[in-house]
Amino acid sequence: MKLVVIGGDAAGMSAASQARKRSGVDDLQITVFERGHFTSYSACGIPYWIGGHVTDRAALITRTPQEFAKQDIDVRLRHEVTGIDLDRREVVARRVDGPAGEIREGFDHLMYAAGAVPVTPPWPGVDARGVFGVQTLDDGAAIHAWLDAHPAPRRAVVIGGGYIGVEMAEAMVRRGLDVTLLEKSPEPMSTVDPDMGARVRKAILGLGIAIRTNAHVHGIETTDGRVRAVRTPDDELPADIVVLGLGVRPNTTLAADAGIPLGETGGLRTDLRMRLLGGGRLDGVWAAGDCVESVHRISGRPVHVPLGTHANKQGRVAGINIGGGYATFPGVIGTAVTKVCELEVARTGLTEHEARAAGYAYVTASVESTSRAGYYPGAATMTIKLIAEKRTGLLLGAQIVGREEAAKRIDALAVAVWNQMTVEEMTGLDLSYAPPFAPVWDPVLIAARKATDAVHATH
Ligand SMILES: Cc1cc2nc3c(=O)[nH]c(=O)nc-3n(C[C@H](O)[C@H](O)[C@H](O)COP(=O)(O)OP(=O)(O)OC[C@H]3O[C@@H](n4cnc5c(N)ncnc54)[C@H](O)[C@@H]3O)c2cc1C
């Protein structure tokens, strides 16, 4: 049998490794095509490498092609898959750095793990030198090299105030650049509700990042093909580098060209074992990671949640199944965490907007508390917001904005959402307490109490 993998990062290499663990070399030949220069890298680590938290790029790479070769996984870097022939069960590829010519590779199993592509609006000048999207380690390396090659004074404009935008803004600040963050919505971090986004905006202002909300971009101004400024309806913002953080879309062009149907989010649709839905010509075709859509366990809706945590799990599930085992991916609940400088932002479950769209009637409760006992050195303020179903008190979602030690509290809340707890049940949770770690009433418990009151008030 032969497994061909398209894409050599989180999903693709997790699948390849798991398939190899369960199948001997004589049973399964594994070939991976990767367009870039790296395998099994942490794209999540790119902002921290660019910002200097991590100094060595190699630290972001979990395993190299040489290490995979020891497992008899044949990784072909700088090989781009250009087509999938489902009838002949072959992929068509080319060498990115030449020599020219078509490579055809037959498969019994095909693992589609081509990730996502950054959204790039059709603005004039968006292709200029010095304008970067960020998805792969090659993208990160291009930004790093540009910053190294262009001496001060340097101004950065980051377009898009989502988590990649704010993490890249922090990275630029740490590199000593003047940073302006542009966000088209009234508040940054649209993955949390606007009232929580407002807290993020205020905090960002204190971090040395200029932020413009309700900001629209009309184009990129260039000189000799190189970025000079970002044009808004009102002015031109001088820029030596522009980073696009406008979100990503599933990289499904190859699949669509091969006639594979896409889901309503634009991602590939799989069953629980990460096998493409459809049968027939799609038998033996698997997909995982940023290119697929998942089921949201609370809304029941298909969602595209491009996160490394899912890509690794889904790839692992696919690989186990390809190798003859049995594993399923249980869906997502939208848990995510990020930071910009010392500000931490986290979410799980549904936001208010998502809860409304799913048809829930709900109440909300927000509390301000501290990360440690108020008298213990280093206690920092955090805000926790809970969203609970009106009649039942079921915890639908939670968001946290705070400083050190705030964000990881989202995991307790994620477990509660996952296990369909009510906010009233949560008030009795046996959470840990000692002054250096929490107030005697942990912020999660205070929020659960307030949300319970809000639920009772609706009865
Ligand atoms: C800056 C940044 C920060 C992030 N931070 C976090 C975080 O903190 N937490 C979190 O959970 N997630 C985070 N993510 C998201 C996470 O990195 C992705 O969800 C994860 O990398 C997806 O893995 P994947 O294997 O599906 O896709 P990718 O990692 O995108 O890998 C796909 C690979 O396929 C290759 N490829 C594409 N097309 C072809 C082709 N035609 N032929 C050959 N190869 C091809 C690409 O070169 C790429 O290497 C972050 C992402 C970025 C960009």
Side-chain angles (χ1 to χ4, degrees):
M1 297 287 270
K2 174 134 200 193
L3 165 64
V4 169
V5 179
I6 306 175
D9 191 27
M13 297 321 295
S14 297
S17 300
Q18 288 301 324
R20 169 56 73 234
K21 261 191 189 168
R22 283 161 179 78
S23 323
V25 183
D26 296 335
D27 301 324
L28 189 69
Q29 224 184 307
I30 305 178
T31 304
V32 180
F33 289 107
E34 167 53 53
R35 183 170 50 199
H37 291 89
F38 312 99
T39 50
S40 279
Y41 51 86
S42 169
C44 316
I46 291 171
Y48 308 106
W49 173 51
I50 291 175
H53 291 90
V54 179
T55 50
D56 184 4
R57 184 180 67 193
L60 301 186
I61 298 166
T62 316
R63 274 203 282 170
T64 61
Q66 293 71 27
E67 289 168 288
F68 284 112
K70 289 183 195 149
Q71 279 185 282
D72 288 299
I73 296 173
D74 172 20
V75 179
R76 304 197 194 158
L77 292 183
R78 305 298 282 154
H79 279 65
E80 179 181 40
V81 174
T82 53
I84 302 169
D85 188 335
L86 287 173
D87 296 321
R88 297 173 66 170
R89 297 190 79 73
E90 287 177 347
V91 298
V92 185
R94 70 173 187 101
R95 288 183 190 83
V96 178
D97 302 320
E102 191 178 272
I103 300 162
R104 284 190 165 257
E105 194 78 33
F107 62 81
D108 299 290
H109 290 286
L110 176 64
M111 177 71 215
Y112 194 104
V117 282
V119 170
T120 308
W123 294 322
V126 78
D127 295 331
R129 281 180 290 121
V131 179
F132 298 94
V134 44
Q135 170 71 14
T136 64
L137 189 50
D138 281 288
D139 298 335
I143 296 172
H144 207 287
W146 180 270
L147 291 172
D148 289 346
H150 294 84
R154 297 171 297 173
R155 292 147 303 186
V157 175
V158 178
I159 308 178
Y163 85 90
I164 289 183
V166 299
E167 287 176 9
M168 290 304 295
E170 172 182 346
M172 300 289 156
V173 167
R174 285 178 57 94
R175 292 283 295 238
L177 278 80
D178 290 334
V179 182
T180 304
L181 184 67
L182 301 182
E183 167 57 49
K184 72 172 177 356
S185 305
E187 302 296 351
M189 290 301 296
S190 58
T191 48
V192 295
D193 288 324
D195 54 327
M196 297 297 269
R199 291 170 193 276
V200 177
R201 176 173 47 77
K202 284 185 198 134
I204 284 179
L205 285 172
L207 300 172
I209 297 170
I211 180 165
R212 288 190 189 182
T213 50
N214 298 308
H216 294 278
V217 171
H218 281 186
I220 309 290
E221 298 295 332
T222 59
T223 304
D224 300 331
R226 184 179 146 182
V227 61
R228 177 174 57 75
V230 173
R231 185 153 42 83
T232 75
D234 308 316
D235 60 0
E236 277 184 11
L237 271 168
D240 302 312
I241 181 169
V242 171
V243 177
L244 305 178
L246 297 158
V248 295
R249 59 175 176 75
N251 184 8
T252 47
T253 311
L254 282 174
D257 289 350
I260 298 172
L262 303 179
E264 64 183 75
T265 68
L268 291 164
R269 292 164 61 228
T270 71
D271 66 9
L272 291 170
R273 299 178 73 181
M274 307 313 298
R275 198 168 28 195
L276 282 192
L277 290 178
R281 293 191 319 153
L282 301 183
D283 275 348
V285 184
W286 309 75
D290 283 4
C291 56
V292 305
E293 61 183 29
S294 306
V295 173
H296 197 292
R297 289 170 64 96
I298 310 303
S299 69
R301 304 287 312 152
V303 285
H304 179 234
V305 185
L307 286 177
T309 175
H310 306 317
N312 280 288
K313 291 188 193 108
Q314 292 171 344
R316 180 172 184 277
V317 164
I320 291 171
N321 290 316
I322 292 167
Y326 177 80
T328 57
F329 181 73
V332 304
I333 57 169
T335 310
V337 64
T338 188
K339 81 179 222 351
V340 48
C341 302
E342 62 265 31
L343 183 76
E344 301 182 357
V345 186
R347 61 156 284 168
T348 189
L350 303 176
T351 60
E352 282 196 57
H353 170 73
E354 290 162 348
R356 259 195 313 274
Y360 282 109
Y362 61 85
V363 296
T364 67
S366 297
V367 299
E368 271 201 9
S369 183
T370 53
S371 56
R372 305 172 183 179
Y375 55 80
Y376 192 88
T381 311
M382 77 175 79
T383 306
I384 298 192
K385 174 175 179 176
L386 301 186
I387 299 163
E389 191 183 13
K390 212 169 193 172
R391 190 169 48 80
T392 62
L394 190 72
L395 180 66
L396 298 175
Q399 297 159 40
I400 303 178
V401 175
R403 305 274 157 172
E404 201 185 345
E405 292 165 20
K408 267 309 238 182
R409 279 184 163 84
I410 207 70
D411 287 342
L413 292 158
V415 173
V417 171
W418 186 277
N419 287 302
Q420 304 192 319
M421 290 182 76
T422 66
V423 284
E424 187 154 14
E425 284 169 333
M426 287 173 59
T427 59
L429 280 176
D430 182 5
L431 301 186
S432 61
Y433 161 65
F437 303 105
V440 69
W441 284 94
D442 190 274
V444 168
L445 297 176
I446 302 174
R449 277 191 351 217
K450 190 165 177 194
T452 303
D453 290 346
V455 171
H456 287 170
T458 67
H459 285 168

